[in-house]
Amino acid sequence: MASIELQNLSTGYRSGQKQTVIADSLNAVLKNGELTALLGPNGAGKSTLMRTICGFIPRVAGEILVNGTDVRKIKPSHLAKEVAVVLTERPDAENMTLREMVALGRIPYTGFFGRLSEEDYIIVDEALETIGIRHLENRKVVSLSDGERQKGMIAKALAQQTDIIILDEPTAFLDFPGKIEIFRLLNSLAHENNKAILLSTHDMEAILQIADTLWLLDKKLGLTTGNTRLLAQSGEINRYFSKKGVTFDPSSCHFNIS
Amino acid sequence: MTGTRNTLKILFLSILICLLFLLNLLAGSVAIPFSEVFSILAGNPTDNTAWKYIVLESRFPQAITAAIAGSSLAVTGLLLQTAFRNPLAGPGIFGVNTGAALGVAIVMMSFGGTLAAGDISLNGFVAVIAAALLGAFAVIALILGVSNVVRSNTMLLIVGIMIGYLASSAISLLNFFSTSEGVHAYTIWGMGTFSSVSREAILPFSICCLSGLAGSLMLIKPLNSLLLGENYARNLGISPMKIRTILLLITGWLTAIVTAYCGPVGFIGLAVPHIARLLFKTDNHLTLLPATIIAGAVIALLCNLICVIPGNNGIIPLSAVTPLIGAPVIIYIIIKNPSRN
């Protein structure tokens, strides 16, 4: 099932009268039950695309459909129940515990003062349990490692109970085992909880072995989407990423440095 | 578990408020025996009409003013600190104070000192309040305008500080061209005091402040979402721009009312939210906002008490006392928390 659909989308910035288009004619479909990775060299417009899909910056042209509806027609309070994000921003509250942070994912569902109901508590518990960080729940967020905090943010996204989770460089500050752990976690969330998960990353080699679907983005080549293995075998990955001295070997899913 | 502990802390602070309130009624430049104060409060007839006047018309409104003004300023500090993600944000830092002060200065100096804040020549006083509101909202409008262009909260804070400097330099210029009576009236007002709200004015003053405080309650949930950052908040269905606008309006309202009546009272807005965070060890505004309201009243009553310590030798200006409590707290926060540096 398609959960997010991009139709002839153009991304970019507007400052005053001037409009800068970063990428245009973007067409893609994000599906439930799949881990999708947005890959591309620096400057391709990955983060602009991510921000546009999240609704943090206005799109320049084209459509973004969320579960079949034009995203501009969805009320923010309702969209919060359909799309959850994980960003690289750090929370700035020294007394906040991990549990409190995860519980903020319930904001779209709570009442005027944001008080949690019995049901909210259970959902937060489940989110902590699923991500495997229940034992850290009373730790202050500022005392957590980058990886632990990032898992907390994913738990927040789970507590938000959305179909779709979008993660902007969720592994940026993590060491290699930490990256693998996050990728595997997201993979199992997509498959076992039937979420549509889109992440952007620079960790090519690791994600190529885990992601079901790839969105390849490049300034010249535009956006190409498809099954990871098929894109590797058809030479698309090579087309997007091979530079002088680096070639992609589709049989082993590795980059070779010559 | 933490719930009951917090309830106990709130209870403790509430008792402290009562205690300090009582002490504020007992202490002052005129020595009145405890028993007499209680008897006057109980409404018993008394021979000494001067004492009765002092307790009911001076000390009582002053203590009420201190408590409410303290709460109001403390809440403005908390709102600004969370919204701008900066522990040093406060009405003083943002120049909202100074904007209000500029409004007051214009009125006082153009009236040439015929009215001091203590006077209840009603027209004059309404003019002072209106001017303070105008000044505060002018600064807020400027900051809101700039916030559409300047996205960084730190930069916005610096813009606020600069606007504050501009306003105070305008005040200095006004001083230069004003009559000595005007300067005198403004200087007295500038020292700050909780004693300038008369018993008649207590009700309107309280209603104005309490309405602002009530307004702040509707920000509890959005403020919590902002702890994660603006984009996370947006994703949770909260509009940071809208929240910031409401928040600045409430801040301007509370700051202007308190500043018009009490003069520029510094440091309470800046320091009390930190005291509340230290005491309650939480950033959840559901606890932190009420805690800040109560702690603001405690600190302001304490400051007011210190002001009258010299007894019949006079009164220490409020603006000399609040930094004594506020500044060490800020320094402690910065030293204690190396992760912020």
Side-chain angles (χ1 to χ4, degrees):
Chain A
M1 197 188 97
S3 54
I4 288 191
E5 222 177 315
L6 313 183
Q7 297 178 344
N8 277 320
L9 179 71
S10 297
T11 64
Y13 290 94
R14 213 166 300 163
S15 56
Q17 299 292 325
K18 230 179 89 186
Q19 190 174 297
T20 316
V21 175
I22 306 275
D24 60 356
S25 318
L26 306 176
N27 289 288
V29 173
L30 185 72
K31 293 198 189 100
N32 277 101
E34 285 188 2
L35 176 62
T36 302
L38 172 61
L39 305 174
N42 279 334
K46 288 197 302 293
S47 88
T48 312
L49 176 57
M50 292 298 263
R51 286 154 162 271
T52 309
I53 296 176
C54 293
F56 299 153
I57 53 176
R59 96 243 178 296
V60 173
E63 303 293 336
I64 302 172
L65 306 182
V66 173
N67 293 327
T69 311
D70 183 348
V71 73
R72 283 169 297 172
K73 296 195 180 118
I74 306 176
K75 279 203 306 193
S77 56
H78 192 239
L79 190 62
K81 297 174 182 175
E82 300 200 46
V83 183
V85 300
V86 174
L87 310 164
T88 42
E89 283 174 52
R90 293 168 189 226
D92 178 37
E94 54 176 305
N95 291 315
M96 185 195 278
T97 64
L98 177 64
R99 191 188 174 81
E100 284 176 311
M101 187 176 88
V102 174
L104 289 177
R106 297 305 297 160
I107 280 183
Y109 303 89
T110 55
F112 188 74
F113 289 114
R115 246 184 246 277
L116 298 181
S117 70
E118 206 53 49
E119 193 197 343
D120 292 321
Y121 277 112
I122 294 168
I123 290 163
V124 171
D125 281 345
E126 279 171 4
L128 288 163
E129 207 74 66
T130 308
I131 306 299
I133 47 173
R134 184 79 192 265
H135 59 290
L136 300 171
E137 64 176 359
N138 292 320
R139 286 265 300 275
K140 305 270 188 226
V141 174
V142 284
S143 76
L144 299 174
S145 71
D146 288 331
E148 288 165 341
R149 191 186 61 244
Q150 207 58 297
K151 281 195 213 166
M153 279 304 184
I154 296 173
K156 182 233 63 157
L158 272 188
Q160 213 172 324
Q161 290 192 313
T162 57
D163 255 7
I164 304 158
I165 302 178
I166 297 179
L167 307 95
D168 190 16
E169 307 233 8
T171 54
F173 303 118
L174 308 187
D175 57 15
F176 191 72
K179 292 176 200 285
I180 302 297
E181 199 185 350
I182 295 284
F183 287 153
R184 293 183 67 142
L185 186 64
L186 293 172
N187 187 53
S188 83
L189 285 180
H191 293 177
E192 278 155 42
N193 301 38
N194 197 35
K195 304 261 183 199
I197 300 184
L198 173 66
L199 66 88
S200 65
T201 182
H202 281 292
D203 298 306
M204 295 281 298
E205 295 222 350
I207 199 65
L208 286 177
Q209 298 181 43
I210 297 176
D212 302 301
T213 306
L214 298 182
W215 291 10
L216 304 176
L217 185 63
D218 183 273
K219 259 207 138 38
K220 286 202 197 83
L221 303 170
L223 182 67
T224 304
T225 66
N227 176 283
T228 306
R229 205 169 327 122
L230 293 180
L231 286 179
Q233 280 160 5
S234 66
E236 284 293 337
I237 294 178
N238 217 349
R239 205 159 70 91
Y240 271 79
F241 291 99
S242 289
K243 280 191 191 151
K244 219 171 119 190
V246 185
T247 48
F248 178 73
D249 175 12
S251 59
S252 65
C253 258
H254 278 302
F255 284 94
N256 295 325
I257 302 168
S258 53
Chain B
M1 190 186 75
T2 52
T4 53
R5 210 181 297 151
N6 283 346
T7 315
L8 279 177
K9 284 178 193 167
I10 296 258
L11 200 67
F12 169 75
L13 286 178
S14 307
I15 294 169
L16 209 56
I17 288 183
C18 299
L19 204 69
L20 283 165
F21 195 88
L22 214 58
L23 284 173
N24 271 285
L25 294 181
L26 294 173
S29 47
V30 176
I32 306 174
F34 288 11
S35 54
E36 277 298 311
V37 173
F38 285 120
S39 144
I40 291 166
L41 284 176
N44 297 337
T46 172
D47 310 331
N48 198 325
T49 47
W51 284 357
K52 186 177 172 192
Y53 182 84
I54 289 171
V55 171
L56 291 183
E57 302 289 324
S58 164
R59 289 182 188 175
F60 185 72
Q62 188 170 349
I64 296 268
T65 306
I68 290 177
S71 295
S72 302
L73 291 173
V75 163
T76 61
L78 176 64
L79 298 185
L80 292 175
Q81 284 168 16
T82 303
F84 293 93
R85 306 188 96 199
N86 195 313
L88 293 180
I93 303 281
F94 255 116
V96 184
N97 257 352
T98 332
L102 177 59
V104 173
I106 291 172
V107 169
M108 281 197 174
M109 292 183 200
S110 54
F111 275 68
T114 52
L115 85 168
D119 283 348
I120 330 159
S121 79
L122 199 66
N123 286 338
F125 206 71
V126 167
V128 168
I129 292 172
L133 275 170
L134 225 70
F137 280 116
V139 170
I140 298 258
L142 254 169
I143 290 177
L144 272 174
V146 173
S147 77
N148 286 325
V149 187
V150 179
R151 289 275 163 204
S152 151
N153 282 332
T154 315
M155 289 303 140
L156 205 54
L157 207 60
I158 293 173
V159 170
I161 294 171
M162 291 306 132
I163 292 174
Y165 277 128
L166 284 176
S168 48
S169 104
I171 293 173
S172 301
L173 276 173
L174 275 174
N175 264 307
F176 183 76
F177 291 111
S178 174
T179 61
S180 61
E181 289 84 7
V183 173
H184 180 75
Y186 178 76
T187 308
I188 296 289
W189 173 85
M191 287 181 178
T193 175
F194 291 131
S195 66
S196 52
V197 183
S198 66
R199 211 172 75 155
E200 290 75 40
I202 270 291
L203 193 64
F205 173 78
S206 307
I207 289 172
C208 288
C209 287
L210 293 179
S211 65
L213 290 176
S216 72
L217 294 180
M218 72 181 180
L219 294 175
I220 286 178
K221 186 165 142 175
L223 285 172
N224 280 338
S225 78
L226 281 175
L227 290 175
L228 292 177
E230 288 197 1
N231 281 335
Y232 276 117
R234 201 169 291 150
N235 175 250
L236 289 167
I238 309 284
S239 161
M241 276 304 267
K242 201 168 101 192
I243 295 310
R244 209 191 246 177
T245 308
I246 296 174
L247 183 144
L248 283 174
L249 290 177
I250 292 176
T251 304
W253 173 253
L254 285 174
T255 309
I257 299 292
V258 173
T259 306
Y261 277 98
C262 307
V265 181
F267 280 99
I268 288 183
L270 188 55
V272 171
H274 291 295
I275 295 174
R277 277 189 208 100
L278 280 176
L279 276 176
F280 287 83
K281 305 244 180 305
T282 183
D283 284 300
N284 184 347
H285 292 79
L286 196 55
T287 306
L288 194 54
L289 190 75
T292 301
I293 290 176
I294 295 179
V298 169
I299 297 298
L301 283 167
L302 186 65
C303 289
N304 195 47
L305 197 60
I306 295 173
C307 288
V308 297
I309 276 180
N312 52 13
N313 291 324
I315 290 168
I316 305 173
L318 186 59
S319 60
V321 176
T322 51
L324 286 181
I325 294 181
V329 171
I330 302 303
I331 294 171
Y332 173 75
I333 295 293
I334 290 170
I335 291 174
K336 187 202 67 152
N337 187 5
S339 70
R340 277 236 169 91
N341 300 339

